[in-house]
């Protein structure tokens, strides 16, 4: 199977209670299947991982941060998935940003995000660990504990 190679950046946005913000959504090509994931997305041409993470964080949550505030990547992985009937191999870096609290704004959603992201919520590592829902990345609870 041929994969589309994609570079991405994601953000572990932690609040004052060490909860991580996750988005809930799915693939329009697979109605009814939903999962939770961190804010983030693909890099634009010429963008660094930190720049993409900051841009995506603003688009998906309304929170504007300077890419320099994100520091270095705290986790790297390659994820393989399908979306809209195309297979992707996504090389992604995760960054951490902390806020005392934050009310998510969806005003920056593009058309695709409006169609695919249905909600967001804050999760503790224990809630992630005990959940029966699909959550990404794998081992998310351990990652949250590591950076909290």
């Amino acid at each position: 199977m041929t994969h589309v190679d994609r570079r991405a950046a994601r953000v572990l946005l932690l609040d004052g209670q060490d909860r991580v913000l996750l988005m809930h959504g799915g693939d329009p090509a697979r109605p009814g299947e939903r999962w939770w994931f961190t804010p983030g997305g693909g890099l634009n041409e010429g963008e660094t991982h930190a720049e993409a993470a900051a841009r995506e964080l603003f688009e998906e949550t309304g929170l504007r941060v300077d890419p320099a505030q994100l520091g270095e990547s705290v986790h790297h992985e390659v994820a393989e998935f399908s979306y809209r009937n195309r297979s992707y191999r996504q090389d992604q870096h995760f960054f951490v940003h902390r806020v005392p609290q934050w009310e998510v704004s969806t005003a920056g959603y593009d058309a695709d995000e409006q169609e695919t992201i249905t909600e967001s919520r804050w999760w503790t590592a224990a809630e992630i660990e005990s959940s029966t829902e699909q959550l990404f990345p794998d081992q998310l609870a351990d990652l949250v504990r590591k950076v909290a």
Side-chain angles (χ1 to χ4, degrees):
M1 178 182 297
T2 303
H3 294 280
V4 175
D5 287 322
R6 183 175 192 238
R7 296 183 322 141
R10 310 204 70 81
V11 179
L12 299 165
L13 183 62
L14 299 173
D15 72 2
Q17 299 174 49
D18 289 331
R19 298 178 304 172
V20 65
L21 180 70
L22 298 178
M23 318 306 279
H24 193 232
D27 180 350
R30 293 179 282 162
E33 186 177 343
R34 297 277 184 246
W35 53 89
W36 292 92
F37 52 94
T38 58
L43 274 66
N44 289 334
E45 186 67 35
E47 233 177 5
T48 67
H49 284 92
E51 289 168 341
R55 176 183 49 77
E56 288 285 343
L57 187 62
F58 177 67
E59 290 173 4
E60 294 180 356
T61 70
L63 179 61
R64 189 178 301 275
V65 299
D66 185 310
Q69 290 179 278
L70 297 175
E72 297 295 319
S73 169
V74 297
H75 180 71
H76 170 258
E77 68 177 25
V78 176
E80 294 186 4
F81 60 92
S82 67
Y83 183 73
R84 294 193 188 267
N85 299 314
R86 295 183 76 186
S87 293
Y88 291 87
R89 180 178 292 122
Q90 182 162 281
D91 184 303
Q92 53 191 13
H93 287 265
F94 289 77
F95 296 84
V96 173
H97 188 70
R98 293 182 170 278
V99 291
Q101 60 184 28
W102 186 254
E103 185 70 33
V104 172
S105 169
T106 61
Y109 280 14
D110 63 22
D112 193 50
E113 291 161 340
Q114 289 175 14
E115 184 179 5
T116 60
I117 300 174
T118 58
E119 63 181 309
S120 61
R121 82 166 251 229
W122 296 92
W123 293 71
T124 65
E127 289 171 328
I128 292 167
E129 203 165 55
S130 67
S131 177
T132 59
E133 298 189 62
Q134 287 189 66
L135 295 108
F136 295 102
D138 292 336
Q139 307 305 316
L140 179 58
D142 292 338
L143 184 56
V144 168
R145 283 188 180 101
K146 175 184 161 188
V147 300

